Amino acid sequence: MGDSLWYRTVGEPVVIDPDLTENLQSDVVIVGAGYTGLSTALHLAEGGYSVAVIEAKQVGWGASGRNGGQVIPGLKLDPDDLERRFGAALVETAGATADLVFSLIEKHSIQCEPRRAGWIQGAHSPRALKALNGRAEQWARRGASVDFLSAAETKALTGTDVYCGSLIDRRAGTIQPLGYARGLARAARQAGAQIFGKSPVLSISKVPGGWRSNTAGGSVSSTHVVIATDAYSDRLWPGLANSFLTVRSIQMATKPLGKIAEEILPTGACVSESRKLSYYFRRDAAGRFLIGGRGPMREEKSAEGMFTALRSAIQQRYPAIADCEIEHQWSGKVSLTIDQLPHIHEPAPGIHIGHGYNGRGIAVSTLMGALLADRIAGGPMHSLIPPSPLQAIPWHRIRQPLLTAAIGYYRLKDALGFGS
């Protein structure tokens, strides 16, 4: 729905990638030119592999060009729980995902308005506040720059008094997300990767020594194939699209606000909430206010009612800008896994799939690219997230009514003070 703000303000120049019109050979084929695919391509190309990225649209067309630009480290699970299940190494690596993003931006001089002013998770109830306090303590115990904030401290940093306290993670920050995607693509090309656009992969067939990825105009034969399509996955690999859920996220951005912007998020931190049905918001480099939240369940359904809800959320949190002009409205898809964790699948020798970012896409998908590259190259991180079987959700065919019911359940839990 509509071009995002990021397409109108991106600093990294667009590069028109050629269609795939011939039959080629490569060590690795990567399907999808979002953060996962581009990070994988960059890490492999820097390691000396020949890499071909095949994209159905253009670099950053999907979630990588539509998200809120919040770079949040860690996974959805709290670090103690994550360590019990997977070990301390994954907790440490997940906690450093924002470091990875900002180090790549610096290394490759990516024009994406990077700002590392932290992420605030606002508590909407005393019950949620207790959970955030525990989360902050767990990270602080591991040496992370994460703290618990009182209601007064939260108001000073957010410019609103709707939260009874918060967690602040100073490792986090914001970027211009499409600029980051294009910058990763530029760096991958400079390292030797080929990127082809407007070339949907129609099938992946087994051939002697590997696989052939076929498009309408050509093909690439390779030893390895990485499927990096996440929420925009189709039926290319059997069972993938049914192994997770997709929801729509909608966003709007005001016109530049001028001096009043200095009173809104005065330090430049980004914010999300402890609610299950959370709003998230930030300022951009030009002083626009951006806010996002859940969109309509069905692709074909109008989002006007949801955009009205975003307007109401602005008025509740920042009455001074309640009547400001909205410059852009857009939406995109987010993938959700049942266990709230990213997954790696290897359903056949040489086939690698990484997906499932649950709203933490920028930081976690960049790490996922490094992990997939390490699995192919046998690097030191190859076993951090062990591959899991690719399993379809049994009730996937009736997901829409079940998701609608789940949203009603989460709305009730939010009203009762529970949080994420």
Side-chain angles (χ1 to χ4, degrees):
M1 174 191 299
D3 285 345
S4 71
L5 165 70
W6 314 123
Y7 281 86
R8 305 296 178 90
T9 62
V10 62
E12 278 281 343
V14 63
V15 174
I16 305 300
D17 295 305
D19 300 4
L20 180 60
T21 58
E22 54 186 321
N23 301 317
L24 304 175
Q25 294 274 345
S26 184
D27 293 332
V28 183
V29 163
I30 298 170
V31 183
Y35 300 141
T36 304
L38 296 170
S39 176
T40 308
L42 174 58
H43 284 92
L44 285 172
E46 289 183 329
Y49 286 80
S50 60
V51 179
V53 181
I54 309 177
E55 164 60 39
K57 302 288 187 178
Q58 58 186 328
V59 166
W61 182 86
S64 299
R66 300 170 189 268
N67 65 80
Q70 299 192 5
V71 186
I72 301 172
L75 302 179
K76 282 287 188 177
L77 299 185
D78 287 343
D80 283 0
D81 189 12
L82 197 61
E83 183 169 338
R84 280 192 296 268
R85 295 175 61 176
F86 298 99
L90 180 58
V91 177
E92 181 180 356
T93 302
T97 50
D99 293 336
L100 175 61
V101 170
F102 287 104
S103 68
L104 289 173
I105 291 170
E106 182 177 6
K107 177 181 178 181
H108 300 290
S109 301
I110 297 176
Q111 301 176 53
C112 63
E113 301 172 4
R115 183 170 187 176
R116 207 161 185 183
W119 164 61
I120 295 170
Q121 187 173 25
H124 73 290
S125 72
R127 190 192 299 263
L129 187 64
K130 182 177 179 181
L132 292 187
N133 194 3
R135 186 171 302 155
E137 186 276 329
Q138 290 179 35
W139 278 119
R141 188 171 2 108
R142 292 169 169 84
S145 184
V146 179
D147 292 303
F148 175 77
L149 300 178
S150 68
E153 290 169 323
T154 302
K155 180 179 179 180
L157 294 182
T158 63
T160 179
D161 60 4
V162 301
Y163 305 115
C164 56
S166 66
L167 169 154
I168 182 168
D169 190 332
R170 295 181 177 86
R171 301 170 296 179
T174 58
I175 59 172
Q176 211 281 12
L178 181 58
Y180 179 56
R182 288 185 182 177
L184 288 177
R186 171 171 55 80
R189 290 189 199 94
Q190 290 171 347
Q194 295 178 283
I195 302 177
F196 300 95
K198 297 182 180 179
S199 301
V201 176
L202 304 177
S203 65
I204 300 172
S205 53
K206 192 75 178 74
V207 296
W211 302 89
R212 180 183 296 120
S213 301
N214 306 290
T215 72
S219 68
V220 183
S221 297
S222 61
T223 305
H224 298 274
V225 176
V226 174
I227 300 175
T229 46
D230 195 40
Y232 290 80
S233 297
D234 53 19
R235 305 296 173 182
L236 178 62
W237 191 267
L240 174 58
N242 294 334
S243 69
F244 58 88
L245 304 173
T246 58
V247 296
R248 284 176 69 190
S249 181
I250 62 170
Q251 294 177 69
M252 61 170 51
T254 70
K255 68 177 182 180
L257 296 175
K259 289 185 177 181
I260 196 172
E262 298 173 5
E263 302 173 14
I264 297 171
L265 304 171
T267 65
C270 57
V271 179
S272 63
E273 300 175 330
S274 58
R275 293 178 174 87
K276 283 289 188 181
L277 302 179
S278 172
Y279 293 108
Y280 53 94
F281 47 91
R282 55 170 287 201
R283 286 193 288 116
D284 76 348
R288 298 178 182 86
F289 181 77
L290 291 83
I291 186 169
R294 181 185 64 82
M297 295 307 302
R298 296 186 180 277
E299 191 80 25
E300 68 276 8
K301 187 175 180 180
S302 170
E304 285 310 309
M306 301 297 183
F307 284 119
T308 299
L310 290 187
R311 270 286 199 181
S312 297
I314 295 175
Q315 181 166 7
Q316 181 186 16
R317 288 152 184 79
Y318 300 105
I321 62 168
D323 297 323
C324 61
E325 179 183 343
I326 301 300
E327 255 189 2
H328 299 278
Q329 296 184 162
W330 70 96
S331 69
K333 293 193 287 187
V334 178
S335 70
L336 304 176
T337 55
I338 298 300
D339 59 7
Q340 300 185 77
L341 292 169
H343 291 179
I344 291 177
H345 306 298
E346 294 179 350
I351 299 292
H352 311 267
I353 302 171
H355 72 98
Y357 306 125
N358 297 282
R360 297 283 177 91
I362 298 175
V364 180
S365 63
T366 302
L367 171 64
M368 178 63 78
L371 295 179
L372 292 171
D374 259 32
R375 291 203 63 79
I376 292 170
M381 298 194 299
H382 75 278
S383 61
L384 275 180
I385 297 180
S388 59
L390 181 57
Q391 296 178 331
I393 298 172
W395 40 266
H396 197 274
R397 288 186 177 180
I398 57 170
R399 64 193 181 280
Q400 294 294 352
L402 289 176
L403 282 171
T404 300
I407 286 170
Y409 171 70
Y410 286 138
R411 186 174 288 116
L412 175 62
K413 289 192 72 174
D414 287 342
L416 294 174
F418 293 90
S420 59

